[in-house]
Amino acid sequence: MDPRPVEQRELEALSRRERQRQLRGTFAGLAEIVVALVIGLFVGALVMDGAGYDWKLAYEGLLIGAFGDQWAIADTLASATPLILTGLVFGLSARAGYFNIGAQGQMIVGALAAVAVGAHVSAPPVMAVTLTFLAAALAGALWALPAALLKATRGVHEVISTIMFNWIAHYTALYMVFNVLNDPRSAERTVRVLPEARLGAIIPGADMTAAIFVAVGVALFMYWLLWHSPWGYEMRIAGLNPSALRYAGASPLWSVNLTFILAGIAAGIAGATQIIGRPPTYALYGDLSNVRNLGFDGIAVALIGRNHPLGIILAAIFIGAMGAGSRMMQIMAGVPLDMVRIVHGTVIIALAAPEVWSLLGKFLSRGRARREAASTAHSKTVQR
Amino acid sequence: MRKASILLAALLVSLLAVSVGALAQGSLAIVYDVGGRGDLSFNDMAALGGERAVRELGVRLTEVESASTADFLPNLRALARSRQHDVIVGVGFLIQDAMAQVAEEFPNQKFALIDGFVDAPNVMSISFADHEGSALVGALAAITALENGGDTVGIVLGIEIPILLRFEVGYRAGVRWAVDRYNEIHGTNKQVRVLYTYTGAFDDPARGKTAAEAMLGQGATVVYQVAGGTGLGVFEAVESAARGQGKVVGPPFAIGVDSAQDYISPGFIAVSMVKRVDNGVFEAIKRALDGTFQGGAVTLKLAEGGVAASSVEMVELFFDEAVAAGAKTPEEKAVAMAGVRAAREAVPQLAWDLLNELDSLIRSGEYVVPEALDRDTAEYWRSVLSTY
């Protein structure tokens, strides 16, 4: 017989059960991802087969294009770099209970700031790069702030305000590209940033630069912040139960501002990575095509990564791999880009669906609770 | 691990087999611009040249579209690294940066760039005398406006890149030449003003539509679109303005660009400035195969078939291309071609006569169309050509 006291044995059994439950949760999560991936790939194969393309060859191309050699892997990581950051924008905000879809605009503003500083401030290389990233982060944060203030003081829903600020950023950028930061010799883009502000390719022959380390660094910082700091604790409580936060005496105003500012910083840096960390142009194109959709792709990344900074890194690499693999899908299997995008779309939807479902449930139940609270309060007043 | 290496080996062998097979008959790769296939314009014209090479030279064709400008470089590299292609063609000015870099990394690979310039011995930079073709349609636009009692024509452009300045100034020159000629014939003292808008995009029909609507509102009789996909909005604006007046054929008219676009809005497109990108692509692979390929700039002029005003036959050819792309059905052809012919008949005869006169003057070198590739030169010609 076990000589230890009963209490200790019970405790151990409890913690064992708790561990098992956690393990089961992790397995369930992994199984969910695998099942979703299989479903997405299966539907994609059906679509390609129906359109008369060789889906086996296409998926082979996807793999080779994404991970086939050192250049492919580097290109995958290069594509993942901005997505890690824009994924953090949505993921962090969702953890704090906000539906922040302003990554696109904040990223555009970050890219503009990167051009403005990178092209005009001459400094030693490391300093120039740091200054450029800082300027982009600051610009992204400032662009995120109005939405946060409007939310906190006037109750303006962040979905509306961030969408609007996205468009303001878009058209401001068009104006800036053609009139302020324009290159007189090349009207299709802005001036290039100075050589000392550029990050070079780590592996010659591929686009990956040190920007990937910046992106991963920001993600790790966000992870620490969310789960190992009091501010992150407040943010997560705000997301789980805003009234509990108020009850505990913390200020929701501070929480919303902090969330949006941190998200804006990530978005701004994402913009900078595309200007100083992606050869060969080192400038912003007039149709903004080198930052196109990266902010919105970040939403998919965050959903697939379950709004967790480490999950977001993996999800961004996954989406980056799909992007890098798409060229070999075209080259090897002759699948046109539109068809490639349909396949990507089905896979992404399948992977993101569970998280969308749970987020939607959370938002709906919170809305219902608020309405119920309001109606009980109303009926009480009437009774009085 | 072993399985993976066996797979890899099998793959390498198959790649090798493919490349040997490909080199035996020649292989052409095309990297398209962000607008991509299905623009019924620039990129589709390049594809047409590729298809012609497949038919006439028996080469293998590999096509890659680019989702964003960041994809140009990896797309070009992936093709160059495979060493399967006799020549890799980049379509469009925006690919220039990436091609310059890749040409340096792969000095033994032949490249061709449509509408841009890379200074490298292994890059053939192909451009077209857009200013000459634009002058032709400018002449037609000006006379069409004058004969319909108008005094305004418009041009809607994409991003303000050097090549587009060349289109704009060429168009203005054609307008001016035709107005002077018209005044000479009729002993009048008429003027035609040219409205212009750079929309800043090649893939935004909504912006093209807004710009064209503004021009029509200011009395423009003809609007020339030089904006790729954005230009589809110009056609929409012109057609809906004409239909709003109960017309089934213009004026107002639009003018198409790059390919023979007349069928896209049948009845409302007077003519198109056809840029034979297909000839450029075909020329690149042909020269790569017969050993005459050379780096450097090649301009295909009006006299060399580089540009042209669209003919009914050309429109028919491109309609068939649109059918192949799935944008049109064969059943629509009869109606569309009837509309195209009706539009051509509704354009005053004098406009066609002067277009042809200018065509032969340019071919013979008696009239030299001014060429602007930077803002200052463009500004100079804007003021010179609009001072009466």
Tab-separated table of all heavy atoms in Angstrom, chain B residues 196-240:
chain	number	residue	atom	x	y	z
B	196	TYR	N	-7.119	65.290	-69.284
B	196	TYR	CA	-6.371	64.073	-68.950
B	196	TYR	C	-6.403	63.799	-67.458
B	196	TYR	O	-6.447	64.718	-66.643
B	196	TYR	CB	-4.931	64.169	-69.452
B	196	TYR	CG	-4.064	65.153	-68.711
B	196	TYR	CD1	-3.077	64.706	-67.842
B	196	TYR	CD2	-4.227	66.528	-68.887
B	196	TYR	CE1	-2.261	65.602	-67.171
B	196	TYR	CE2	-3.426	67.427	-68.215
B	196	TYR	CZ	-2.446	66.967	-67.363
B	196	TYR	OH	-1.657	67.853	-66.692
B	197	THR	N	-6.423	62.510	-67.099
B	197	THR	CA	-6.421	62.099	-65.698
B	197	THR	C	-5.517	60.881	-65.525
B	197	THR	O	-5.675	59.893	-66.230
B	197	THR	CB	-7.832	61.695	-65.221
B	197	THR	OG1	-8.716	62.771	-65.449
B	197	THR	CG2	-7.825	61.335	-63.738
B	198	TYR	N	-4.589	60.972	-64.600
B	198	TYR	CA	-3.822	59.796	-64.188
B	198	TYR	C	-4.514	59.219	-62.957
B	198	TYR	O	-4.546	59.853	-61.918
B	198	TYR	CB	-2.371	60.180	-63.878
B	198	TYR	CG	-1.562	60.428	-65.122
B	198	TYR	CD1	-1.494	61.684	-65.710
B	198	TYR	CD2	-0.889	59.379	-65.729
B	198	TYR	CE1	-0.773	61.905	-66.870
B	198	TYR	CE2	-0.162	59.586	-66.890
B	198	TYR	CZ	-0.102	60.841	-67.455
B	198	TYR	OH	0.610	61.037	-68.597
B	199	THR	N	-5.091	58.029	-63.114
B	199	THR	CA	-5.879	57.462	-62.017
B	199	THR	C	-5.014	56.826	-60.939
B	199	THR	O	-5.475	56.585	-59.836
B	199	THR	CB	-6.820	56.363	-62.545
B	199	THR	OG1	-6.041	55.397	-63.251
B	199	THR	CG2	-7.867	56.946	-63.470
B	200	GLY	N	-3.759	56.507	-61.277
B	200	GLY	CA	-2.880	55.913	-60.272
B	200	GLY	C	-3.049	54.411	-60.119
B	200	GLY	O	-2.548	53.822	-59.182
B	201	ALA	N	-3.790	53.774	-61.025
B	201	ALA	CA	-3.963	52.315	-60.905
B	201	ALA	C	-4.209	51.709	-62.268
B	201	ALA	O	-4.759	52.355	-63.157
B	201	ALA	CB	-5.117	51.993	-59.975
B	202	PHE	N	-3.799	50.460	-62.415
B	202	PHE	CA	-4.056	49.729	-63.653
B	202	PHE	C	-5.133	48.662	-63.463
B	202	PHE	O	-5.426	47.905	-64.367
B	202	PHE	CB	-2.774	49.051	-64.149
B	202	PHE	CG	-1.794	50.009	-64.759
B	202	PHE	CD1	-0.584	50.259	-64.145
B	202	PHE	CD2	-2.097	50.664	-65.941
B	202	PHE	CE1	0.322	51.148	-64.703
B	202	PHE	CE2	-1.193	51.551	-66.504
B	202	PHE	CZ	0.013	51.797	-65.879
B	203	ASP	N	-5.665	48.558	-62.267
B	203	ASP	CA	-6.584	47.445	-62.013
B	203	ASP	C	-7.815	47.887	-61.236
B	203	ASP	O	-8.343	47.150	-60.437
B	203	ASP	CB	-5.855	46.344	-61.254
B	203	ASP	CG	-5.249	46.834	-59.958
B	203	ASP	OD1	-5.352	48.041	-59.675
B	203	ASP	OD2	-4.695	46.015	-59.218
B	204	ASP	N	-8.250	49.123	-61.430
B	204	ASP	CA	-9.367	49.645	-60.645
B	204	ASP	C	-10.426	50.260	-61.561
B	204	ASP	O	-10.463	51.480	-61.756
B	204	ASP	CB	-8.837	50.688	-59.648
B	204	ASP	CG	-9.900	51.095	-58.645
B	204	ASP	OD1	-11.081	50.721	-58.843
B	204	ASP	OD2	-9.558	51.778	-57.672
B	205	PRO	N	-11.323	49.426	-62.132
B	205	PRO	CA	-12.323	49.939	-63.077
B	205	PRO	C	-13.176	51.064	-62.483
B	205	PRO	O	-13.594	51.976	-63.206
B	205	PRO	CB	-13.181	48.709	-63.375
B	205	PRO	CG	-12.313	47.546	-63.096
B	205	PRO	CD	-11.398	47.965	-61.983
B	206	ALA	N	-13.430	51.004	-61.171
B	206	ALA	CA	-14.284	52.024	-60.558
B	206	ALA	C	-13.671	53.412	-60.730
B	206	ALA	O	-14.366	54.386	-61.035
B	206	ALA	CB	-14.487	51.709	-59.078
B	207	ARG	N	-12.356	53.489	-60.553
B	207	ARG	CA	-11.700	54.792	-60.697
B	207	ARG	C	-11.706	55.256	-62.150
B	207	ARG	O	-11.844	56.442	-62.429
B	207	ARG	CB	-10.267	54.714	-60.182
B	207	ARG	CG	-10.097	55.455	-58.888
B	207	ARG	CD	-8.646	55.549	-58.523
B	207	ARG	NE	-8.274	54.413	-57.689
B	207	ARG	CZ	-7.024	54.184	-57.299
B	207	ARG	NH1	-6.060	54.985	-57.701
B	207	ARG	NH2	-6.747	53.154	-56.541
B	208	GLY	N	-11.547	54.300	-63.073
B	208	GLY	CA	-11.606	54.649	-64.489
B	208	GLY	C	-12.968	55.210	-64.854
B	208	GLY	O	-13.090	56.168	-65.612
B	209	LYS	N	-13.991	54.600	-64.286
B	209	LYS	CA	-15.352	55.036	-64.581
B	209	LYS	C	-15.581	56.459	-64.075
B	209	LYS	O	-16.110	57.309	-64.795
B	209	LYS	CB	-16.341	54.064	-63.918
B	209	LYS	CG	-17.755	54.282	-64.358
B	209	LYS	CD	-18.696	53.224	-63.823
B	209	LYS	CE	-20.102	53.526	-64.331
B	209	LYS	NZ	-21.125	52.765	-63.645
B	210	THR	N	-15.169	56.705	-62.840
B	210	THR	CA	-15.341	58.039	-62.270
B	210	THR	C	-14.642	59.099	-63.115
B	210	THR	O	-15.205	60.154	-63.414
B	210	THR	CB	-14.743	58.088	-60.844
B	210	THR	OG1	-15.170	56.922	-60.151
B	210	THR	CG2	-15.186	59.321	-60.104
B	211	ALA	N	-13.404	58.790	-63.523
B	211	ALA	CA	-12.626	59.755	-64.300
B	211	ALA	C	-13.303	60.032	-65.643
B	211	ALA	O	-13.420	61.199	-66.068
B	211	ALA	CB	-11.213	59.224	-64.527
B	212	ALA	N	-13.780	58.988	-66.314
B	212	ALA	CA	-14.414	59.171	-67.625
B	212	ALA	C	-15.732	59.928	-67.484
B	212	ALA	O	-16.069	60.776	-68.311
B	212	ALA	CB	-14.646	57.812	-68.278
B	213	GLU	N	-16.482	59.626	-66.422
B	213	GLU	CA	-17.754	60.329	-66.210
B	213	GLU	C	-17.514	61.829	-66.060
B	213	GLU	O	-18.262	62.649	-66.592
B	213	GLU	CB	-18.454	59.783	-64.956
B	213	GLU	CG	-19.264	58.532	-65.259
B	213	GLU	CD	-19.677	57.774	-64.009
B	213	GLU	OE1	-19.260	58.164	-62.895
B	213	GLU	OE2	-20.405	56.770	-64.166
B	214	ALA	N	-16.451	62.174	-65.337
B	214	ALA	CA	-16.133	63.601	-65.148
B	214	ALA	C	-15.829	64.251	-66.497
B	214	ALA	O	-16.261	65.379	-66.776
B	214	ALA	CB	-14.943	63.744	-64.207
B	215	MET	N	-15.108	63.539	-67.370
B	215	MET	CA	-14.755	64.096	-68.677
B	215	MET	C	-15.994	64.257	-69.555
B	215	MET	O	-16.166	65.273	-70.233
B	215	MET	CB	-13.750	63.189	-69.370
B	215	MET	CG	-12.385	63.234	-68.709
B	215	MET	SD	-11.248	62.124	-69.529
B	215	MET	CE	-9.782	62.462	-68.562
B	216	LEU	N	-16.854	63.240	-69.545
B	216	LEU	CA	-18.084	63.323	-70.339
B	216	LEU	C	-18.929	64.486	-69.846
B	216	LEU	O	-19.540	65.209	-70.632
B	216	LEU	CB	-18.866	62.009	-70.235
B	216	LEU	CG	-18.176	60.799	-70.895
B	216	LEU	CD1	-18.837	59.503	-70.470
B	216	LEU	CD2	-18.176	60.939	-72.414
B	217	GLY	N	-18.919	64.693	-68.523
B	217	GLY	CA	-19.660	65.805	-67.938
B	217	GLY	C	-19.135	67.147	-68.420
B	217	GLY	O	-19.882	68.126	-68.504
B	218	GLN	N	-17.859	67.202	-68.757
B	218	GLN	CA	-17.277	68.456	-69.267
B	218	GLN	C	-17.338	68.527	-70.782
B	218	GLN	O	-16.671	69.350	-71.394
B	218	GLN	CB	-15.815	68.563	-68.813
B	218	GLN	CG	-15.654	68.760	-67.317
B	218	GLN	CD	-14.183	68.744	-66.927
B	218	GLN	OE1	-13.463	69.698	-67.183
B	218	GLN	NE2	-13.751	67.659	-66.324
B	219	GLY	N	-18.110	67.636	-71.383
B	219	GLY	CA	-18.363	67.744	-72.823
B	219	GLY	C	-17.428	66.965	-73.720
B	219	GLY	O	-17.381	67.217	-74.923
B	220	ALA	N	-16.687	66.014	-73.183
B	220	ALA	CA	-15.796	65.221	-74.038
B	220	ALA	C	-16.627	64.326	-74.963
B	220	ALA	O	-17.592	63.700	-74.525
B	220	ALA	CB	-14.866	64.370	-73.190
B	221	THR	N	-16.260	64.304	-76.250
B	221	THR	CA	-16.958	63.450	-77.218
B	221	THR	C	-16.292	62.091	-77.286
B	221	THR	O	-16.950	61.085	-77.520
B	221	THR	CB	-16.912	64.097	-78.622
B	221	THR	OG1	-17.282	65.466	-78.492
B	221	THR	CG2	-17.883	63.410	-79.568
B	222	VAL	N	-14.974	62.053	-77.102
B	222	VAL	CA	-14.222	60.809	-77.201
B	222	VAL	C	-13.272	60.710	-76.004
B	222	VAL	O	-12.647	61.711	-75.623
B	222	VAL	CB	-13.388	60.771	-78.514
B	222	VAL	CG1	-12.648	59.443	-78.627
B	222	VAL	CG2	-14.275	60.992	-79.727
B	223	VAL	N	-13.205	59.524	-75.391
B	223	VAL	CA	-12.269	59.318	-74.286
B	223	VAL	C	-11.387	58.103	-74.601
B	223	VAL	O	-11.884	57.016	-74.856
B	223	VAL	CB	-13.002	59.078	-72.939
B	223	VAL	CG1	-11.982	58.881	-71.821
B	223	VAL	CG2	-13.931	60.228	-72.619
B	224	TYR	N	-10.092	58.336	-74.576
B	224	TYR	CA	-9.086	57.309	-74.859
B	224	TYR	C	-8.643	56.729	-73.522
B	224	TYR	O	-8.311	57.476	-72.612
B	224	TYR	CB	-7.924	57.995	-75.586
B	224	TYR	CG	-6.712	57.146	-75.967
B	224	TYR	CD1	-6.797	55.786	-76.205
B	224	TYR	CD2	-5.477	57.775	-76.135
B	224	TYR	CE1	-5.673	55.060	-76.583
B	224	TYR	CE2	-4.352	57.064	-76.524
B	224	TYR	CZ	-4.461	55.699	-76.737
B	224	TYR	OH	-3.345	54.992	-77.113
B	225	GLN	N	-8.669	55.396	-73.397
B	225	GLN	CA	-8.231	54.809	-72.127
B	225	GLN	C	-6.852	54.188	-72.280
B	225	GLN	O	-6.607	53.450	-73.218
B	225	GLN	CB	-9.267	53.798	-71.619
B	225	GLN	CG	-9.259	52.429	-72.277
B	225	GLN	CD	-8.390	51.419	-71.540
B	225	GLN	OE1	-7.675	51.763	-70.614
B	225	GLN	NE2	-8.448	50.169	-71.984
B	226	VAL	N	-5.949	54.541	-71.370
B	226	VAL	CA	-4.608	53.955	-71.359
B	226	VAL	C	-4.354	53.502	-69.935
B	226	VAL	O	-3.481	54.027	-69.250
B	226	VAL	CB	-3.548	54.992	-71.782
B	226	VAL	CG1	-2.202	54.282	-72.006
B	226	VAL	CG2	-3.957	55.695	-73.060
B	227	ALA	N	-5.146	52.556	-69.471
B	227	ALA	CA	-5.102	52.254	-68.042
B	227	ALA	C	-5.311	50.783	-67.731
B	227	ALA	O	-5.704	50.436	-66.625
B	227	ALA	CB	-6.136	53.093	-67.309
B	228	GLY	N	-5.090	49.891	-68.681
B	228	GLY	CA	-5.238	48.453	-68.402
B	228	GLY	C	-6.639	48.134	-67.909
B	228	GLY	O	-7.629	48.549	-68.505
B	229	GLY	N	-6.710	47.430	-66.780
B	229	GLY	CA	-8.002	47.040	-66.228
B	229	GLY	C	-8.844	48.222	-65.783
B	229	GLY	O	-10.076	48.190	-65.822
B	230	THR	N	-8.191	49.302	-65.345
B	230	THR	CA	-8.910	50.518	-64.960
B	230	THR	C	-9.749	51.027	-66.124
B	230	THR	O	-10.840	51.557	-65.944
B	230	THR	CB	-7.895	51.606	-64.531
B	230	THR	OG1	-7.105	51.092	-63.468
B	230	THR	CG2	-8.586	52.872	-64.090
B	231	GLY	N	-9.230	50.831	-67.329
B	231	GLY	CA	-9.893	51.334	-68.522
B	231	GLY	C	-11.235	50.682	-68.800
B	231	GLY	O	-12.086	51.259	-69.488
B	232	LEU	N	-11.455	49.482	-68.255
B	232	LEU	CA	-12.752	48.838	-68.473
B	232	LEU	C	-13.869	49.722	-67.919
B	232	LEU	O	-14.986	49.742	-68.432
B	232	LEU	CB	-12.776	47.449	-67.829
B	232	LEU	CG	-11.748	46.458	-68.404
B	232	LEU	CD1	-11.781	45.137	-67.659
B	232	LEU	CD2	-11.965	46.226	-69.896
B	233	GLY	N	-13.552	50.481	-66.864
B	233	GLY	CA	-14.519	51.419	-66.298
B	233	GLY	C	-14.799	52.585	-67.236
B	233	GLY	O	-15.895	53.147	-67.230
B	234	VAL	N	-13.822	52.953	-68.054
B	234	VAL	CA	-14.010	54.026	-69.038
B	234	VAL	C	-15.058	53.586	-70.064
B	234	VAL	O	-15.977	54.335	-70.404
B	234	VAL	CB	-12.681	54.371	-69.741
B	234	VAL	CG1	-12.902	55.365	-70.872
B	234	VAL	CG2	-11.670	54.908	-68.737
B	235	PHE	N	-14.923	52.342	-70.528
B	235	PHE	CA	-15.902	51.826	-71.493
B	235	PHE	C	-17.304	51.843	-70.888
B	235	PHE	O	-18.277	52.228	-71.531
B	235	PHE	CB	-15.544	50.391	-71.906
B	235	PHE	CG	-14.216	50.265	-72.588
B	235	PHE	CD1	-13.455	49.116	-72.467
B	235	PHE	CD2	-13.721	51.309	-73.364
B	235	PHE	CE1	-12.228	48.993	-73.089
B	235	PHE	CE2	-12.487	51.194	-73.994
B	235	PHE	CZ	-11.747	50.036	-73.850
B	236	GLU	N	-17.365	51.435	-69.633
B	236	GLU	CA	-18.660	51.370	-68.954
B	236	GLU	C	-19.285	52.758	-68.874
B	236	GLU	O	-20.478	52.931	-69.157
B	236	GLU	CB	-18.406	50.856	-67.541
B	236	GLU	CG	-19.378	49.807	-67.070
B	236	GLU	CD	-19.019	49.407	-65.646
B	236	GLU	OE1	-17.966	48.747	-65.486
B	236	GLU	OE2	-19.770	49.771	-64.724
B	237	ALA	N	-18.473	53.745	-68.523
B	237	ALA	CA	-18.981	55.113	-68.377
B	237	ALA	C	-19.484	55.642	-69.706
B	237	ALA	O	-20.576	56.234	-69.787
B	237	ALA	CB	-17.874	56.018	-67.828
B	238	VAL	N	-18.701	55.417	-70.764
B	238	VAL	CA	-19.079	55.943	-72.080
B	238	VAL	C	-20.353	55.258	-72.568
B	238	VAL	O	-21.294	55.909	-73.027
B	238	VAL	CB	-17.924	55.742	-73.099
B	238	VAL	CG1	-18.397	56.023	-74.508
B	238	VAL	CG2	-16.746	56.628	-72.733
B	239	GLU	N	-20.396	53.940	-72.434
B	239	GLU	CA	-21.579	53.215	-72.909
B	239	GLU	C	-22.828	53.634	-72.137
B	239	GLU	O	-23.885	53.875	-72.739
B	239	GLU	CB	-21.366	51.693	-72.789
B	239	GLU	CG	-22.608	50.920	-73.199
B	239	GLU	CD	-22.363	49.436	-73.486
B	239	GLU	OE1	-21.196	49.024	-73.539
B	239	GLU	OE2	-23.368	48.717	-73.670
B	240	SER	N	-22.715	53.771	-70.822
B	240	SER	CA	-23.929	54.095	-70.079
B	240	SER	C	-24.355	55.542	-70.341
B	240	SER	O	-25.551	55.837	-70.352
B	240	SER	CB	-23.768	53.798	-68.583
B	240	SER	OG	-22.877	54.703	-68.003
